[in-house]
Amino acid sequence: MFNIFESNKEDLLYIVDNFGREVSINNKTVKAIITNNVVSEYEDRYILSTQSIKRGELVKDGTENYLVITESVSKRYSKYKAIMRHCNYTLDVPKEVCKLIGRDSSGRPVYDCTNQLIPTPVIVDNKSFSIMEGAIRLPNNQILVTMQDNVANKTEMVTNKEFELMDSTWVVLNVDLTKNGLLLMTCEFKSEV
């Protein structure tokens, strides 16, 4: 029987293939339709794809980076749809990078490990995280840094961690993990660089 409320998958694939563009989601090329959201102080966009989109995924559209900030756990009318927000800063997150240089006399691997700074796109704001208007303002000396929740970020960005951003040194006061896929860090100003 024909269901008027069910979308035609072939039509949706045709639309995405012909009107969508290639974007990178977590370094994987995906075809998606990107549309504008309402005009606000944030650069929020809708992303629509036939492939799964999860909160916290990093989307690279051209030269700009966005973080998916809404959940999209199931398909809606044969597609996934979410809101992504422009990453307005890049934070250098230290990461230990190890390179295999050989084996010891017992055959065990020997690594040369160095700390490298990995540029990580983040969203920095002076209001508590909200998609709707009416967000609560943080104190003048605090910011909210939102970044992708992954092993490297979660390992390095912990309470009392100091980092440099916006020509200042900041200290992580709290790491909020209540939004799957995102690290929400309340940070306090320490000093100017």
Side-chain angles (χ1 to χ4, degrees):
M1 176 170 194
F2 180 72
N3 183 351
I4 62 170
F5 297 107
E6 186 175 315
S7 61
N8 184 330
K9 291 179 186 177
E10 289 77 28
D11 289 347
L12 181 62
L13 287 172
Y14 175 83
I15 291 169
V16 171
D17 284 342
N18 289 288
F19 299 104
R21 60 181 182 246
E22 287 188 347
V23 296
S24 171
I25 299 179
N26 290 341
N27 297 317
K28 180 183 173 193
T29 302
V30 173
K31 201 112 188 224
I33 295 176
I34 310 294
T35 59
N36 293 327
N37 197 346
V38 295
V39 176
S40 71
E41 69 181 271
Y42 302 106
E43 176 72 24
D44 288 351
R45 302 262 175 112
Y46 287 112
I47 180 168
L48 177 146
S49 178
T50 56
Q51 298 181 28
S52 176
I53 303 169
K54 293 182 174 51
R55 180 169 47 199
E57 290 188 316
L58 183 64
V59 178
K60 188 166 182 85
D61 184 18
T63 60
E64 299 299 323
N65 291 301
Y66 296 83
L67 272 176
V68 176
I69 60 171
T70 58
E71 281 190 331
S72 180
V73 293
S74 61
K75 283 187 175 183
R76 298 176 189 151
Y77 304 106
S78 301
K79 66 187 180 304
Y80 293 93
K81 186 175 183 180
I83 297 174
M84 58 185 193
R85 181 165 289 168
H86 181 255
C87 296
N88 56 351
Y89 285 94
T90 301
L91 178 63
D92 290 329
V93 177
K95 180 180 178 185
E96 186 177 55
V97 177
C98 296
K99 182 179 177 182
L100 179 67
I101 57 172
R103 301 210 173 261
D104 66 11
S105 59
S106 300
R108 294 178 297 221
V110 176
Y111 296 97
D112 178 31
C113 297
T114 59
N115 282 325
Q116 295 180 358
L117 295 177
I118 307 298
T120 305
V122 297
I123 301 167
V124 178
D125 200 353
N126 63 347
K127 296 178 205 63
S128 65
F129 193 81
S130 174
I131 296 171
M132 302 299 184
E133 297 302 320
I136 299 169
R137 286 187 96 37
L138 293 169
N140 287 337
N141 63 341
Q142 292 183 359
I143 58 173
L144 183 71
V145 178
T146 305
M147 65 191 321
Q148 187 177 41
D149 181 1
N150 58 37
V151 174
N153 294 344
K154 196 182 282 186
T155 302
E156 289 297 328
M157 303 310 291
V158 295
T159 303
N160 296 323
K161 172 77 174 185
E162 292 185 12
F163 63 93
E164 292 181 8
L165 186 68
M166 302 182 297
D167 298 324
S168 299
T169 301
W170 299 87
V171 179
V172 177
L173 296 178
N174 180 48
V175 179
D176 182 354
L177 300 171
T178 59
K179 296 192 182 292
N180 289 335
L182 296 174
L183 289 178
L184 303 164
M185 301 181 302
T186 304
C187 306
E188 188 169 63
F189 174 80
K190 183 175 181 185
S191 64
E192 292 183 9
V193 178

